[in-house]
Every structure is written in C-alpha cells, then in structure tokens.
Amino acid sequence: MEEKKRIFSGMQPSGMITLGNYLGAMKNWTALQNDYDCLYCIVDMHAITVRQDPVKLRKQAKDLLTQYLAVGLDPEKNTIYYQSHVSQHAELGWILNCYTYMGEMNRMTQFKDKAAKHADNINTGLYTYPVLMAADILLYQTDLVPVGEDQRQHLEITRDIAGRFNTIYGDTFKIPEAYIGKVGARVMALQEPTKKMSKSDENKNNTIILMDEPAVIMNKIKRAVTDSEDEVRFSEDKPGISNLLGIYSACTGKTIAEAEKEFAGAGYGTFKTAVGEAVVANLEPIQQRVRDLEKNKDYLDEVIKKGAERASKLAERTLSKVQKRVGFLPKVR
C-alpha cells in the first residue's frame, strides 16, 4: 500500500477561531484525514513572540484543541498536539538558526508588519519566528503545507534552509511543497469587507467567532456593511454583499449563482436573515460538541498525551539524524 503523504499545519492559540478560519480551512480538513497523514500543531511557542496573559493563553490553547475535535478531526487519524509539549521543535529551531542568514531574516515582511504593531516588544523570537516555523515543518519530513499568501514567504525560506542543509550534509530533510487543496470561502470582515476576517481584529463586529451565541451571530450579520442598493448580486463593486453571498454559499453548499437567484428581488433584510440562519445552522452542532467535550476532561487529557507522544516519536527520528550530521555526540541510553 502506498504511504500517505504528510501534511503539517500549525495554528496559534492567540485569539478565538473565526468563521473565516472554519469556512476557509477547517471545514475541509476532515476530508484530508482519510487521504493524508496530518499533523495539527497548536503553536503556542510562536504565540509568545507577542506578550500573552498566561492564564488566557492556556485557556485558548485548550479551547483550540477542543474545537479541532469538535469540527470533526479524529485524534486516531490525525496527530493533534501542543508545540511546547514536543521539545524537538525548539532543539531543531536552534540548529536551523545556525544555517539561516541575517539577510534572509531581514527580508521577512511579516516581521516588519508585527514589529510595527508591537513597537514596545520587538524581540528576537519575533525576528527568528520563520526559523522555528521551518523547524516545525522539517521535523516531520513534511510533504505538504497549507499556506495562505501571508505565509508563502515562510514556506520559501523553509525550502531554502532545508536545501542548504541537504547540500552541506547530504539528504536529510524532505523539501516541502505548498498544499493547494479545495479552496474554502475567503471570508472578509463584516464591517470592513475589503479586508480578511481576522481573529486578532479589535472590532468585534467584524468577526464571527466559532462559539458566538446564535443571537450574537444574527446581530453581527444584520449589522454587516452592505451598500445603498437593494440587489443581492456578486460584484467587485459590492464587497459587503459579495462577502455575505460567499458565506451563505459556503454554509449551504449552494453556488453563488443559485444564491443570487434565490434572493432576486428579496431585499437585503431578508437576505441577511437567511445568511445568519445558515451560519447558526453550521455552527450550533460544533458548539454542542465543544460543550460535550469540555465535560470530558479525562478524554481531552488522553488526546493531549497521545498527541505529544506520537509527535515526539516522529520528531526524534529527524532530530537525531540532524544532530549526528552536525557533529553532536549521541545520547547514552
């Protein structure tokens, strides 16, 4: 039987999962678990490049794992774990720092963006973030990495670092490719539909959170920015309505054309109510599964323990090979 290709994906626990995260990526993940060997890492080490409230960070990390399970990721088919529970990430990260050039780091646009937002905390971790991300990926001999446009530069430097190491020491790392899977909905901010919906948005009306109550969801959708017309159609000059059409299409499985036809002559009020109801219908079963899982602490602890053990076992294979290549003495067992 042909070995499954491996996919690595990491998500920060700094902020709540949004409707954009769910419709844009997570909704499709459940289909991947049958065809690929998937690792879903909660990258809490990356999260601390920005100051975090420790109590809040622990809660958000646990919430994220619970929500992974609630959307349908099977911990028997996928490796779901916390980055901080697998020490090989940090160990490989340090080694790769020594094979990464300052010039490469200086070109990283995300560092410049984040440094501008957090001018009072421009730390070294923020600067070398892409090297740790490279370690995350290369540690598991990853074949494919799902990346958005904002992460594409990080995947390129991962490939460059891996190629450089392989040139010096021989075939050590698999060179990962970008995973271009089924495209999920690109969900935009409700109040500013020209920018992407983000979990770090300070305007709470821009974002629908996975665990928002139905009444809150309906209210946010009803307050979403539209335009002065009253025609439900997908168009570049109608970003608000186009965004809501995309959300409705992703939640119902209907095409944009079918949705336009359904609401022809209906007006924005009727349309927004239908969009809100479709979102609620999608999220309510997930929210119920989250509540059920939260009551089962023993099960969650078992998932956390097994995920870390499985990830550590895989990671150690690569790390021990790398340590030998660079000249470290083997551990005495």
Side-chain angles (χ1 to χ4, degrees), residues 45-287:
M45 288 164 67
H46 284 294
I48 64 167
T49 55
V50 174
R51 289 285 177 266
Q52 303 287 341
D53 174 338
V55 175
K56 197 173 170 186
L57 182 61
R58 277 191 287 272
K59 183 185 184 307
Q60 287 175 176
K62 195 79 171 272
D63 288 347
L64 182 52
L65 180 128
T66 307
Q67 288 170 29
Y68 273 176
L69 301 176
V71 299
L73 292 181
D74 184 345
E76 295 301 318
K77 293 180 179 178
N78 305 280
T79 304
I80 304 169
Y81 70 103
Y82 295 114
Q83 184 185 27
S84 61
H85 289 189
V86 180
S87 62
Q88 291 92 339
H89 283 262
E91 292 181 76
L92 182 60
W94 171 253
I95 294 172
L96 296 185
N97 266 317
C98 302
Y99 293 85
T100 307
Y101 299 132
M102 293 284 286
E104 292 172 316
M105 291 289 93
N106 290 337
R107 289 194 291 273
M108 293 290 109
T109 54
Q110 205 174 56
F111 169 71
K112 292 168 190 171
D113 295 343
K114 282 202 170 187
K117 284 181 190 171
H118 304 280
D120 59 335
N121 181 29
I122 304 173
N123 58 72
T124 316
L126 196 62
Y127 184 67
T128 60
Y129 178 108
V131 184
L132 181 57
M133 189 170 170
D136 299 338
I137 296 164
L138 299 176
L139 202 49
Y140 299 100
Q141 304 297 340
T142 301
D143 294 287
L144 300 162
V145 185
V147 284
E149 277 309 309
D150 59 336
Q151 296 290 346
R152 198 168 284 278
Q153 196 183 31
H154 289 168
L155 180 61
E156 284 310 311
I157 198 169
T158 299
R159 289 168 54 85
D160 291 344
I161 295 166
R164 181 176 302 135
F165 196 95
N166 287 354
T167 299
I168 298 168
Y169 297 107
D171 190 22
T172 307
F173 296 118
K174 192 171 277 188
I175 308 291
E177 304 280 346
Y179 173 73
I180 311 298
K182 186 181 173 189
V183 179
R186 189 163 192 264
V187 180
M188 312 304 279
L190 298 177
Q191 297 293 317
E192 300 166 82
T194 54
K195 75 173 194 179
K196 204 172 165 187
M197 185 178 284
S198 168
K199 59 184 179 178
S200 60
D201 202 314
E202 288 177 13
N203 182 353
K204 300 305 174 197
N205 288 317
N206 262 333
T207 308
I208 291 173
I209 302 301
L210 206 66
M211 295 304 291
D212 273 345
E213 295 285 333
V216 173
I217 293 170
M218 294 300 292
N219 191 39
K220 286 181 179 179
I221 295 283
K222 284 178 179 177
R223 293 175 66 180
V225 165
T226 51
D227 52 55
S228 57
E229 295 180 17
D230 208 25
E231 186 184 2
V232 178
R233 64 182 169 84
F234 195 93
S235 172
E236 214 172 278
D237 63 349
K238 294 168 74 70
I241 288 298
S242 298
N243 185 37
L244 293 177
L245 274 166
I247 292 170
Y248 184 75
S249 169
C251 286
T252 60
K254 295 176 182 177
T255 66
I256 297 288
E258 286 169 343
E260 287 175 326
K261 193 174 176 183
E262 183 182 347
F263 296 102
Y268 289 171
T270 303
F271 172 57
K272 282 183 169 183
T273 299
V275 175
E277 287 170 351
V279 172
V280 168
N282 258 247
L283 298 189
E284 270 193 319
I286 296 168
Q287 293 172 352

